[in-house]
C-alpha cells in the first residue's frame, strides 16, 4: 500500500522535474550565459576567487572558485579549488548557453573540459563554509563539522593528494574557541588576518591568524563574544567602519558589535529582526548605512543603521526559508538571495515603489528583478563574480554547480533604446 507521504514526495518530484524542463527550454531567452556542471558530491559553499587568466586561442578566460564536498557513506571530504573556462563576452560565439554536459558550447567544448578541480585538499568532514582572505586569496578558512575552524594556505598543498593521503587533513592552522560546529565565517576587509566565526554554541570567535600558534599549530581565539541566546547563523564585517561587525541567529536577533571595546561591553545594538530564525546578514558595500538580513520567515529585511528600530522594507518573493543573501559589489541597489525553495532571486532596490500593470502583479513586487530556477533542490550558497558584471555561481543539494548571467535586457533599462 502506498502511503500518503510517498505519494506527496512522488508528486513533488514530478512537479520539480516539470519546472526544470520549462526552465531549461526558456534559458536561451532568459540568459546570456548558463553553465551547468554535475559535481561528484554536493557543495554547501561556493565563492569566486579574484583574478582572470586569458586563454586567447579559445576566446575564453580561466577563473577560479572555492568549493567543498559534503560526502556520504564514509567517503573522504575535500576543500576544492575549481577552475572554470569562461567565454569572453566579446567572442563571436552566437550562443553562450549550455544546459547539460552533452550540449555543444562552440570552441569551448564539453562542460567536463571547462569545469575542473585544480586543487584537492583533504578535509576532515564536510566543508560547511569556505571563504578566502581578501588581502591574500591563497589563505582559505573553512567551517568544519567539529568545533575547530581550519585555515589552509593552498600553495602549501599539492594539487592532488597521494592515494594514501586522501583522509589526511593537514590544515596550516587549527583555530580553537568554539565548542560546536557552525556556518558563520567572515574575514575583515580592513585588518589582514582578522577572522570572525559564528557557531551553534551561541558564540562568536575572533582570531588574528597572524599571531603565534601554539602546539599542534593551534591558535586560540583572541576574543569570544557571548550575547546570542541560540545558534549564531552568520557574521559579517561592516565595509566602511573597520571596528563594526554584525551577527544574526536562531534567536531572531540582529546584533551590532564594536571591536574597540572589551567583548562583554561590545554590543551597541540588539533587536529582534525577524519572526523566525535569522540566517544571514550582509552590509551594503556601497552604502555605509544599509544592511540586509535573511530569515526562515521567507523574507529579507532592509535596515538603516541610523534607525534600527524600524526596518526600511521587506523583500518578499521566496516561497520557503532564505539561506543566504549578498549584495552586488558593483551595483549599489542590487541584492541576491537563495533559499530552500530552489531559487536564487535578484532584487533591484531602486525599483521599490514602481508602478506595475495588473498583469505584472502576479510576478512579484517591482523590485523582484529576476528568479533563477535552474536548481532542483535547496540552494545552499551562491557567489557574485568579482571579475564580470552580473555573473553568479550557485550550488545546491542536487550536486549541481551553475554559473549564470541573466540576459542584459532584464536589468538594462536602455536595452530597447539602442
Amino acid at each position: 500500500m502506498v502511503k500518503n507521504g510517498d505519494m506527496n514526495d512522488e508528486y513533488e518530484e514530478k512537479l520539480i522535474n516539470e519546472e526544470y524542463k520549462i526552465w531549461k527550454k526558456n534559458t536561451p531567452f532568459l540568459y546570456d550565459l548558463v553553465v551547468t556542471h554535475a559535481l561528484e558530491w554536493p557543495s554547501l559553499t561556493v565563492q569566486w576567487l579574484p583574478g582572470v587568466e586569458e586563454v586567447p586561442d579559445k576566446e575564453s578566460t580561466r577563473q577560479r572558485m572555492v568549493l567543498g564536498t559534503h560526502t556520504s557513506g564514509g567517503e573522504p571530504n575535500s576543500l576544492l579549488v575549481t577552475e572554470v573556462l569562461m567565454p569572453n563576452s566579446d567572442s563571436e560565439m552566437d550562443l553562450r548557453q549550455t544546459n547539460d554536459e552533452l550540449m555543444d558550447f562552440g570552441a569551448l567544448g564539453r562542460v567536463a573540459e571547462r569545469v575542473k578541480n585544480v586543487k584537492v585538499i583533504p578535509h576532515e568532514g564536510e566543508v560547511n563554509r569556505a571563504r578566502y582572505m581578501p588581502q591574500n586569496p591563497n589563505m582559505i578558512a573553512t567551517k568544519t563539522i567539529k568545533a575547530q575552524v581550519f585555515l589552509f594556505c593552498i600553495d602549501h598543498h599539492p594539487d592532488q593528494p597521494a592515494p594514501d593521503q586522501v583522509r589526511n587533513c593537514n590544515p596550516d592552522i587549527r583555530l580553537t574557541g568554539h565548542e560546536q560546529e557552525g556556518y558563520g565565517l567572515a574575514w575583515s576587509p580592513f585588518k589582514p588576518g582578522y577572522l570572525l566565526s559564528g557557531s551553534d554554541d551561541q558564540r562568536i570567535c575572533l582570531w588574528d591568524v597572524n599571531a603565534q600558534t601554539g602546539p599542534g599549530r593551534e591558535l586560540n581565539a583572541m576574543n569570544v563574544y557571548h550575547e546570542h541566546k541560540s545558534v549564531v547563523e552568520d557574521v559579517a564585517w561592516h565595509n566602511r567602519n573597520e571596528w563594526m561587525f554584525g551577527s544574526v541567529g536562531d534567536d531572531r536577533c540582529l546584533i551590532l558589535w564594536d571591536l574597540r571595546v572589551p567583548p562583554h561591553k561590545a554590543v551597541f545594538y540588539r533587536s529582534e529582526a525577524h519572526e523566525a530564525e535569522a540566517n544571514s546578514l550582509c552590509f551594503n558595500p556601497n552604502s555605509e548605512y544599509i544592511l540586509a538580513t535573511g530569515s526562515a520567515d521567507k523574507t529579507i529585511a532592509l535596515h538603516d543603521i541610523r534607525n534600527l528600530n524600524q526596518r526600511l522594507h521587506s523583500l518578499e518573493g521566496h516561497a520557503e526559508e532564505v539561506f543566504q543573501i549578498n549584495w552586488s559589489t558593483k551595483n549599489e541597489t542590487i541584492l541576491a538571495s537563495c533559499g530552500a525553495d530552489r531559487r536564487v532571486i535578484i532584487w533591484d532596490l531602486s525599483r521599490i515603489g514602481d508602478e506595475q500593470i495588473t498583469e505584472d502583479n502576479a510576478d512579484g513586487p517591482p523590485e523582484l528583478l529576476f528568479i533563477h530556477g535552474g536548481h532542483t533542490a535547496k540552494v545552499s550558497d551562491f557567489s557574485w563574480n568579482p571579475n564580470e558584471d552580473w555573473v553568479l555561481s550557485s550550488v545546491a543539494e542536487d550536486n549541481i554547480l551553475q554559473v549564470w548571467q541573466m540576459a542584459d535586457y532584464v536589468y538594462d533599462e536602455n536595452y530597447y533604446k539602442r
Side-chain angles (χ1 to χ4, degrees), residues 367-385:
E367 61 270 21
L368 198 164
L369 181 64
F370 188 80
I371 299 177
H372 174 62
H375 290 286
T376 59
K378 297 176 181 178
V379 182
S380 303
D381 199 10
F382 70 90
S383 176
W384 289 95
N385 188 315

Side-chain angles (χ1 to χ4, degrees), residues 177-240:
H178 284 298
E179 294 180 349
Q180 294 177 263
E181 68 172 317
Y183 289 85
L185 196 62
W187 290 98
S188 169
F190 297 102
K191 294 178 177 291
Y194 271 47
L195 179 66
L196 282 172
S197 166
S199 285
D200 293 4
D201 57 7
Q202 307 176 21
R203 297 180 179 184
I204 299 170
C205 289
L206 171 66
W207 297 273
D208 178 358
V209 303
N210 298 308
Q212 184 67 39
T213 59
R217 289 182 295 187
E218 290 190 357
L219 180 64
N220 293 326
M222 179 170 62
N223 289 337
V224 179
Y225 299 87
H226 303 269
E227 184 66 25
H228 282 283
K229 307 305 180 186
S230 188
V231 172
V232 180
E233 294 286 2
D234 201 13
V235 290
W237 293 92
H238 195 273
N239 292 286
R240 301 285 183 89

Side-chain angles (χ1 to χ4, degrees), residues 100-211:
D100 55 48
E101 292 200 357
L102 300 178
M103 183 173 286
D104 186 27
F105 201 64
L108 294 179
R110 295 162 64 98
V111 172
E113 298 169 355
R114 296 194 311 280
V115 181
K116 64 178 182 179
N117 297 325
V118 295
K119 183 82 71 169
V120 179
I121 301 174
H123 195 272
E124 186 178 342
E126 58 256 32
V127 182
N128 286 351
R129 189 161 296 173
R131 294 293 185 259
Y132 73 84
M133 185 196 300
Q135 298 86 356
N136 181 3
N138 284 320
M139 301 293 288
I140 298 176
T142 65
K143 294 288 286 185
T144 73
I145 60 170
K146 297 187 176 180
Q148 291 183 334
V149 175
F150 293 162
L151 184 64
F152 296 89
C153 179
I154 58 177
D155 287 345
H156 294 172
H157 299 264
D159 292 345
Q160 296 281 341
D164 61 346
Q165 297 294 311
V166 293
R167 297 182 186 275
N168 184 18
C169 178
N170 190 28
D172 293 83
I173 303 177
R174 295 175 181 265
L175 305 175
T176 60
H178 284 298
E179 294 180 349
Q180 294 177 263
E181 68 172 317
Y183 289 85
L185 196 62
W187 290 98
S188 169
F190 297 102
K191 294 178 177 291
Y194 271 47
L195 179 66
L196 282 172
S197 166
S199 285
D200 293 4
D201 57 7
Q202 307 176 21
R203 297 180 179 184
I204 299 170
C205 289
L206 171 66
W207 297 273
D208 178 358
V209 303
N210 298 308

Side-chain angles (χ1 to χ4, degrees), residues 5 11 18 36 38 74 78 89 114 149 173 219 249 271 276 305 311 334 353 357 365 370 406:
Y11 174 77
E18 287 300 319
T36 296
S78 304
S89 58
R114 296 194 311 280
V149 175
I173 303 177
L219 180 64
S271 75
I305 294 176
R311 65 172 61 179
I334 302 300
I357 60 176
F370 188 80
M406 73 184 89

